[in-house]
Amino acid sequence: MKEANRFLCPGFSLAQTIESGQCFRWKKWEEGRYTVLSGARQVTLAQAGDSILFLDEVSEGEAAYWRNYFDWDRDYEQIKKELSAKDQVMAMTIPAGSGIHILRQEFFETLMGFIISQNNHIPRIKGIMERICQSCGEEIGAGVYSFPTPEQLATVTEEEFRWLGAGFRARYLVDAVGKVVSGQIREEDLRQMETAEAKAALMTICGVGEKVADCVLLFGLGRWEVFPTDVWIRRMMEQLYFRGKEASLKEIQKKAEKKFGAYRGLAQQYLFYYGREGQGHGGRRKADDKDKRHAAAGSGGNCLPDSGI
DNA sequence: CTCCAGGGATCAG
DNA sequence: CTGATCCATGGA
């Protein structure tokens, strides 16, 4: 075989995976056809049945990168089987998002993306990410830009992030960039750490709480043993595992660990997708479910602009 | 127009 | 440790 421009990926859904809220730099052209960006790369793909087609010429190296990015070599069928066998709720919820894979995204880009994601909509998150790329990244194609490196963002001020639309998250982005550039947060170190330790390290960044840290661990560092718990997941878990009664974050995470074990990151995606599909994007909630908010008291640190290294 | 978003920091009890 | 409020913006 000469060019690797076609991959057989039984059970994989390009649309479900891309649109499950894991990544923010992509464009849908038409049904089943997407351009996806990661770091300084882009690829345009189409799904035809069980096959994924690369619509542009790609080197073997590029193809290998995306193969890893989309996690095509993992046996999801086996994992789904295990989750379904162990838990009846999983057996019910998995079919909705059965084709979802957990992406292996670039660490820094994932960190920035999920800081931006807080209290925000996907379309706007995408816009902010794109503007960051346009203003600080490099042009890697016609009107297409790479996600900037930490060094390329090192001089961006809070005010400038605000101009790019980041809003109150601008301060958080500056803090994140600073901690990465200064070496206070190093990807290689995080990869060496136990998950709990890596999570604590991430949470020293201002604007990174439990949920964002878990997302970075899951989507940017390949740690499946986390369970990012947002309002949707909380709602789903309470509904499906706590008889509709309120449960604390701790209780939810403990339940997730017990039910989904080392696969809770993936299980979380199934639950999220199921909840979104089933209840719609309009944010329907139980009739008299008042808005609840939670404070996750961070033990680890203030958020004053850091003065130095 | 107002409502709200795959949260988190901050300040009260 | 739990609860309430604010945060900036732009889709819907």
Side-chain angles (χ1 to χ4, degrees):
Chain A
M1 47 175 139
K2 24 197 298 188
E3 43 186 4
N5 63 345
R6 182 192 191 100
F7 279 100
L8 191 60
C9 313
F12 171 74
S13 166
L14 186 61
Q16 285 179 2
T17 300
I18 291 173
E19 304 207 30
S20 63
Q22 303 180 49
C23 54
F24 307 112
R25 290 206 300 144
W26 51 269
K27 183 175 176 61
K28 177 179 179 177
W29 300 100
E30 58 189 52
E31 231 34 64
R33 180 164 159 252
Y34 295 84
T35 291
V36 180
L37 292 94
S38 174
R41 304 166 194 265
Q42 69 162 320
V43 70
T44 299
L45 303 164
Q47 176 147 18
D50 283 343
S51 286
I52 299 296
L53 309 173
F54 286 83
L55 298 184
D56 302 315
E57 299 284 327
V58 291
S59 67
E60 278 187 29
E62 285 290 305
Y65 175 86
W66 293 108
R67 182 178 189 129
N68 175 68
Y69 179 90
F70 287 105
D71 205 21
W72 285 333
D73 288 327
R74 195 189 302 259
D75 187 357
Y76 280 79
E77 296 307 319
Q78 175 61 29
I79 298 169
K80 284 187 283 187
K81 203 181 297 180
E82 281 183 42
L83 282 171
S84 298
K86 201 162 63 175
D87 184 63
Q88 197 171 348
V89 173
M90 273 290 112
M92 174 184 76
T93 54
I94 288 177
S98 166
I100 295 175
H101 277 200
I102 300 290
L103 298 175
R104 295 177 167 280
Q105 300 183 66
E106 301 289 328
F107 164 72
F108 180 62
E109 180 175 338
T110 306
L111 173 63
M112 299 293 277
F114 279 93
I115 287 174
I116 294 168
S117 80
Q118 70 179 67
N119 198 234
N120 215 342
H121 293 97
I122 303 263
R124 193 157 86 98
I125 300 167
K126 291 176 67 177
I128 297 167
M129 290 289 276
E130 191 172 347
R131 266 168 262 136
I132 289 176
C133 295
Q134 284 168 352
S135 59
C136 302
E138 287 165 8
E139 190 162 17
I140 57 175
V144 180
Y145 295 82
S146 64
F147 192 82
T149 62
E151 290 70 29
Q152 286 172 323
L153 290 177
T155 57
V156 177
T157 64
E158 178 177 338
E159 189 180 22
E160 286 165 335
F161 275 124
R162 219 171 269 268
W163 290 338
L164 298 175
F168 64 87
R169 309 162 196 83
R171 182 166 66 98
Y172 305 158
L173 295 176
V174 170
D175 192 58
V177 170
K179 285 193 164 68
V180 171
V181 169
S182 70
Q184 206 168 327
I185 295 289
R186 298 180 72 244
E187 178 180 355
E188 311 83 81
D189 293 346
L190 295 174
R191 288 191 182 278
Q192 294 300 103
M193 294 176 194
E194 295 293 319
T195 298
E197 190 185 354
K199 180 167 173 175
L202 285 169
M203 287 175 66
T204 63
I205 299 170
C206 182
V208 176
E210 292 227 29
K211 193 269 179 180
V212 169
D214 282 345
C215 285
V216 175
L217 286 165
L218 178 57
F219 304 127
L221 293 169
R223 303 295 177 100
W224 283 35
E225 67 277 21
V226 295
F227 193 71
T229 306
D230 57 45
V231 288
W232 283 93
I233 291 299
R234 170 179 292 272
R235 214 170 283 155
M236 295 308 300
M237 289 296 284
E238 289 174 344
Q239 187 181 125
L240 298 170
Y241 292 98
F242 293 88
R243 300 176 172 185
K245 298 184 88 72
E246 293 185 19
S248 70
L249 180 61
K250 286 295 169 206
E251 291 174 310
I252 288 173
Q253 304 231 339
K254 190 174 169 189
K255 181 75 74 180
E257 180 176 2
K258 178 182 157 108
K259 293 287 183 181
F260 317 132
Y263 299 135
R264 27 192 203 281
L266 178 61
Q268 184 265 8
Q269 283 302 100
Y270 292 138
L271 285 170
F272 182 78
Y273 204 87
Y274 174 84
R276 277 259 136 133
E277 293 300 293
Q279 313 203 24
H281 288 234
R284 303 273 177 269
R285 47 188 75 175
K286 289 173 293 180
D288 62 346
D289 180 16
K290 289 162 61 171
D291 225 7
K292 310 162 253 193
R293 268 140 188 150
H294 326 282
S299 53
N302 67 32
C303 222
L304 299 172
D306 55 2
S307 48
I309 313 167

